Amino acid sequence: MARLLPGWIESYRREWLPRDLLAGVLVAAVVVPQAVAYADIAALPPEAGLIAAPGALIGYALLGTSRTLIVSATTATSALSAAAVGPIAGGDVGKYGELSAALALVTGAVLVVSGLLRIGGVMDLVSKPVITGFLFGLAMTVTVDQLPKVFGVPDGSGKFFHRLVDLVRDLDQTSGWTLAVGLAGIVLLFALKRLAPHVPGMLVVLVLSIIVSAALGLSDKGVAVVGELPKAYPHLSVPHVGWHDLVDLLGAAFGVLILSAEAAGVSRAIAAADGYAVDVNRDLVALGGSNALAGLSGGFVQSGGASQTLAAENAGGKTQLTSVVTAVLVLVCGLFLTGLFKDLPEATLAAIVVFAISSFYRMGELRRFARLRTSAIVLSLTALVGVLVIGVLPGLLLAAGLSLVVLIQRLSRPQVGPLARDPESGAWGRADRRPDWVPPAGVLVVRSDGPLFYANANSVKDRFLALVRALEVPPRALIVDLGESHDLDVETLDMLADLADTLDEEGIELRLAAVRMRSLEMLRRRGLADRLRIETTIDGAIA
């Protein structure tokens, strides 16, 4: 991070300019309707999306390492923002906007600190089955939230099932004109995606619905429209919230860190296809900068969007100048074109959201998980149902907790077994997997198929002792191969000391082999280096 600006500015080529300009225009055609629609997911007025986008786009363009990642509003982070801010705001509309901006600032701080501490890998701790189930449940939740606007009935209240019941109960109040507008938008969006995938379908539907609404006077026919919007431009200010509110928003900020795994995955996949690498930790800092600018502008949480990024990639964008061009166009739209949204039906915005969220209904993935591993589909369905029953933010925390439980469970029970030597090459491997290899005489060599740490130290010790006591003739020495352990924590050091004491009482010597430099230093600090025989190889420990 010694260099403040990304390399694309220093190495920019003039021949890239036409592609980046065209890509910026096409990406703006995706970002503008999404920004307006996703603001509704975040329970904010439509102009909030246009206010937040320019700062988010510029922030990542100046700090990020991906050439094409587009940072703006996303479905998941918008829903998470609404779930976190709603209970704190308590129905106060003014406070709701301030808290949404404050969440973006808190998220920015969490992302920046995470990047500086180089813990970008934490985003990979949530397993694919768990995040797939969470996003599926999130899609169902957001869809039920938006369907009242499609049918023209009152919004429901409560969590998923309460809202679903309210929707079904109020269907007799359906507005025919509103339903026609909403269904037409949904059908046209899916048709354009299938028949003309390179056409900016959301922009087409947005423009057509405004024209039709104005021509037919749909607002006079009972169709709810957006109405007059104020000029939407960033106005730098610090949200007026208390410290206790910032603390309450901290959990949601860490939730955004987890959801940023989607952005990281998209940028890494595109970078690999284009023959370069991204720095995940620097990108966390860049996403943090994007959220900080969005929050100071009076916007809400932003992240890397898959659809926007793929639009930039498909349009031939070569660098982050695409994001800069998009930011300028969004700013122009917010300053001079908000009047065009006056006749935009709210049912059209709901149709855009329903269409966008449909990519989270990954039935094929769920079937694949069920076919590959029972535990995977159980985790997916648990995360899915968790979102529906307890809500978006608690559901995300449940999903993260499930992943950590599975991870710790696997790491805490590594495979342990005796080793044998290949009589031809002299290589060492697990004796139970290579029955033709020869175990050493008089000693027992063992290895854990994973690093030793506090969560597995005691269970590994018990299995080492079980292997020793299973032999008819006790070995003169137990040799532990520590090649898998790059470092040793306090619990592991204490375990080795206890193991040495127990073996010593039985007349068996404990020896350590293949000890790494950091592990050796920790053994010295614990006083075990002088007590135990430590060798660089298993053969040396046997000799």
Side-chain angles (χ1 to χ4, degrees), residues 423-445:
E424 295 183 2
S425 67
W428 289 89
R430 286 279 296 272
D432 51 349
R433 298 169 187 167
R434 299 171 177 85
D436 56 328
W437 287 21
V438 181
V443 298
L444 175 63
V445 183

Side-chain angles (χ1 to χ4, degrees), residues 57 69 72 103 131 191 224 259 262 275 321 336 411 452 470 524 543:
L57 290 161
L69 183 68
S72 60
L103 175 58
I131 201 65
L259 293 177
E262 181 184 10
L321 182 61
F336 305 109
L411 290 177
L452 301 180
R524 286 173 178 157

Side-chain angles (χ1 to χ4, degrees), residues 465-514:
L465 290 173
L467 289 171
V468 170
R469 291 162 183 165
L471 298 176
E472 294 183 3
V473 179
R476 67 175 184 273
L478 173 68
I479 300 172
V480 177
D481 179 359
L482 287 180
E484 295 291 328
S485 300
H486 297 266
D487 197 358
L488 300 177
D489 55 26
V490 172
E491 289 86 350
T492 305
L493 292 169
D494 290 344
M495 179 273 284
L496 291 173
D498 293 341
L499 179 61
D501 291 338
T502 302
L503 292 173
D504 187 59
E505 293 175 359
E506 300 178 16
I508 302 171
E509 180 186 0
L510 175 62
R511 303 176 187 175
L512 305 179

Side-chain angles (χ1 to χ4, degrees), residues 82-162:
V85 170
I88 303 175
D92 187 331
V93 178
K95 188 176 181 182
Y96 199 103
E98 295 285 343
L99 287 168
S100 298
L103 175 58
L105 285 176
V106 175
T107 298
V110 168
L111 292 172
V112 168
V113 171
S114 299
L116 293 176
L117 294 177
R118 306 193 65 80
I119 57 174
V122 72
M123 295 185 298
D124 296 326
L125 292 181
V126 182
S127 68
K128 178 179 283 189
V130 169
I131 201 65
T132 300
F134 167 77
L135 292 176
F136 201 113
L138 177 68
M140 295 176 66
T141 300
V142 172
T143 299
V144 167
D145 287 348
Q146 295 298 316
L147 284 180
K149 298 181 178 65
V150 174
F151 286 91
V153 300
D155 284 334
S157 60
K159 296 184 174 62
F160 174 81
F161 292 105
H162 289 96

Side-chain angles (χ1 to χ4, degrees), residues 397-454:
L397 297 178
L398 172 65
L402 283 173
S403 291
L404 290 177
V405 167
V406 172
L407 175 65
I408 293 174
Q409 182 184 34
R410 291 184 179 177
L411 290 177
S412 65
R413 294 294 183 271
Q415 292 291 318
V416 172
L419 302 186
R421 182 195 280 114
D422 183 355
E424 295 183 2
S425 67
W428 289 89
R430 286 279 296 272
D432 51 349
R433 298 169 187 167
R434 299 171 177 85
D436 56 328
W437 287 21
V438 181
V443 298
L444 175 63
V445 183
V446 294
R447 175 194 292 160
S448 166
D449 290 347
L452 301 180
F453 71 116
Y454 68 91

